[in-house]
Amino acid sequence: MSREPVPVLIRRVDPGVPLPAYAHPGDAGADLRTTESRELAPGERAVLPTGVSIALPEGYAAFVHPRSGLAARCGVALVNAPGTVDAGYRGEIKVIVVNLDPRESVRFERFDRIAQLVVQQVERVRFQEVAELPDSARAEGASGPPVATPPWTAEAAQTVKPPWVARRVGIDTLRSYPTGKDSDVFGRRKKKGAAEDAAGEAEQVVDSVDTEADEAEGGRERVRLEPEPRPDGPWDSSEVREPAEGRVDLGGLFVPGVDGMELRVEVAGDAIVAATVVLRDSAIQLQAFAAPKREGIWGEVREEIASGITQQGGIIDEVEGPLGWELRAQVPVQLPDGTSGFHVVRFVGVDGPRWFLRGVISGQGAVQPQAAGLLEQIFRDTVVVRGEGPMAPRDPIVLKLPNDAQMVPESVQQEDAGSRFSGGMGQLQRGPEITEVR
């Protein structure tokens, strides 16, 4: 005997998206579609919007499952399968997809089917602590207790290992630690090209905005909220088994290595306080700060940044992006030819346990946010090491150079008109810039 369907209220966030539907009679999952066209390189992941939000009846939950056809044909999986949609959640359903194919990219077009939504009745339990558990046939034997292995652990990294991991060599060979290419990672470089421009934009914008925000901050009372959950990162050092696996150890931050990237550090006085990852024509500056134990500060920081940019005559748009709430800004600057113009940047941030991580995306990743997937992945996979010592809120978490890194004296650097990765093993290459942040 068939039962009456469970009524589920649904709202289109994207007016044009088809509603979830069952492809065949008896199907358990209704197809979810993406509203965003996106191409994923091998090993890349992205958060794809589905254009719908739902209100489930009390006592029910929805679970986002992968589609077996995509997995078989393209190697596409869901990072957190199954994703859980609670009855009280009213936001847009988004799907975290990853391309596990080691060689081929996969492309999603708008309204492609990307996942299935299964609605189920769930039980609410009451946990009762006891001194001992009753016996069972399995007990503690067999393969041991099930272990939830998150994708950032060393074991999972063996399954999908980015190509730069196997080729990584030490900096003492004059090869970049994260990229394995002929370039010293820590040194000084005269800015040139799109990548250098992108990193320079981030540094210039951060300097001016921090100053304006400090001046704008007054004695206003604020609502203090606890940090939001971080199911997809960035991570605290206590949440990752092997933070150095596939990451560059900068002391206060472990920054993921990506093939072809360039890593720079910025200093304030004698301390290194920020790292900038330059990838092709985009860049992201990463900076971690101490924060209160039970209070998130990203909402407050967004307000201050927006106020500072507005006072400069800039334009601010606060949107909910792949990394949560962010600011997309047009910041007034003086262009090299002396005329006035704007730099487009994105300010992203995440609150963690007693820390806050800020990212500033510049270059094409800011002008075309859909092209910033890899930079966003770097931000998510960053590990913050706050330490146990007392720190005042908003104090920067100090970084360090990796143990095998060496600064390149300016006296031995030579102008190189070719690729920054060109040259042989015996030739010193110009490395990333060390910029003083005021």
Side-chain angles (χ1 to χ4, degrees), residues 65-79:
H65 290 264
R67 298 187 68 243
S68 57
L70 280 177
R73 295 192 309 271
C74 309
V76 172
L78 305 189
V79 175

Side-chain angles (χ1 to χ4, degrees), residues 218-363:
R220 292 173 293 176
E221 294 185 2
R222 305 179 186 273
V223 177
R224 303 289 184 172
L225 301 176
E226 292 191 4
E228 295 280 345
R230 295 170 291 105
D232 306 311
W235 311 110
D236 184 75
S237 57
S238 64
E239 300 168 337
V240 182
R241 294 184 186 178
E242 299 291 341
E245 178 69 24
R247 299 180 179 90
V248 182
D249 183 1
L250 297 179
L253 292 177
F254 283 86
V255 179
V258 176
D259 191 24
M261 85 177 197
E262 188 176 290
L263 181 62
R264 303 176 179 179
V265 296
E266 286 94 42
V267 301
D270 296 328
I272 301 174
V273 296
T276 299
V277 174
V278 181
L279 194 62
R280 295 185 289 276
D281 52 2
S282 300
I284 181 168
Q285 184 196 67
L286 303 169
Q287 189 168 11
F289 303 85
K293 187 174 183 179
R294 294 184 177 87
E295 295 175 358
I297 64 173
W298 175 220
E300 180 179 320
V301 170
R302 280 203 313 273
E303 184 178 326
E304 294 168 4
I305 293 174
S307 175
I309 293 176
T310 302
Q311 289 184 20
Q312 296 179 49
I315 301 172
I316 283 289
D317 188 16
E318 186 173 16
V319 300
E320 189 172 8
L323 300 172
W325 286 104
E326 64 177 74
L327 295 178
R328 296 181 181 176
Q330 298 180 44
V331 183
V333 294
Q334 185 174 7
L335 300 177
D337 61 2
T339 61
S340 297
F342 289 90
H343 278 162
V344 179
V345 293
R346 294 170 57 194
F347 292 90
V348 297
V350 169
D351 292 300
R354 299 199 303 157
W355 52 258
F356 162 68
L357 181 65
R358 181 181 71 182
V360 184
I361 299 175
S362 54

Side-chain angles (χ1 to χ4, degrees), residues 23-282:
H24 306 284
D27 282 359
D31 290 326
L32 290 172
R33 301 171 184 267
T34 178
T35 59
E36 179 180 298
S37 298
R38 184 67 178 270
E39 182 167 336
L40 296 181
E44 185 179 4
R45 73 169 183 254
V47 180
L48 298 181
T50 64
V52 295
S53 58
I54 60 175
L56 295 164
E58 193 67 25
Y60 284 80
F63 301 93
V64 181
H65 290 264
R67 298 187 68 243
S68 57
L70 280 177
R73 295 192 309 271
C74 309
V76 172
L78 305 189
V79 175
N80 62 332
T84 303
V85 181
D86 295 307
Y89 180 69
R90 296 294 183 267
E92 182 181 10
I93 298 174
K94 297 181 180 181
V95 181
I96 310 171
V97 297
V98 60
N99 179 13
L100 300 182
D101 191 289
R103 295 175 296 275
E104 298 294 331
S105 297
V106 60
R107 180 165 181 82
F108 296 102
E109 299 296 343
R110 178 170 163 84
F111 298 157
D112 277 353
R113 295 179 295 170
I114 57 171
Q116 301 177 85
L117 189 70
V118 178
V119 177
Q120 293 177 282
Q121 194 167 7
V122 293
E123 298 291 337
R124 190 167 184 86
V125 303
R126 176 174 55 86
F127 294 98
Q128 182 177 351
E129 184 178 6
V130 296
E132 293 184 3
L133 297 176
D135 289 337
S136 71
R138 178 179 178 183
E140 296 181 9
S143 300
V147 177
T149 304
W152 63 87
T153 62
E155 290 85 349
Q158 298 301 317
T159 305
V160 186
K161 182 176 288 187
W164 52 264
V165 174
R167 297 198 300 269
R168 191 177 62 198
V169 293
I171 296 179
D172 54 346
T173 65
L174 299 184
R175 285 182 178 266
S176 164
Y177 185 82
T179 66
K181 299 190 177 181
D182 291 335
S183 173
D184 207 83
V185 177
F186 299 95
R188 297 179 182 268
R189 172 183 287 277
K190 180 180 179 182
K191 289 191 174 86
K192 58 181 180 179
E196 286 77 8
D197 291 342
E201 289 177 16
E203 295 161 10
Q204 179 179 356
V205 168
V206 169
D207 291 351
S208 60
V209 168
D210 282 346
T211 302
E212 294 289 342
D214 290 342
E215 294 173 355
E217 184 178 4
R220 292 173 293 176
E221 294 185 2
R222 305 179 186 273
V223 177
R224 303 289 184 172
L225 301 176
E226 292 191 4
E228 295 280 345
R230 295 170 291 105
D232 306 311
W235 311 110
D236 184 75
S237 57
S238 64
E239 300 168 337
V240 182
R241 294 184 186 178
E242 299 291 341
E245 178 69 24
R247 299 180 179 90
V248 182
D249 183 1
L250 297 179
L253 292 177
F254 283 86
V255 179
V258 176
D259 191 24
M261 85 177 197
E262 188 176 290
L263 181 62
R264 303 176 179 179
V265 296
E266 286 94 42
V267 301
D270 296 328
I272 301 174
V273 296
T276 299
V277 174
V278 181
L279 194 62
R280 295 185 289 276
D281 52 2
S282 300

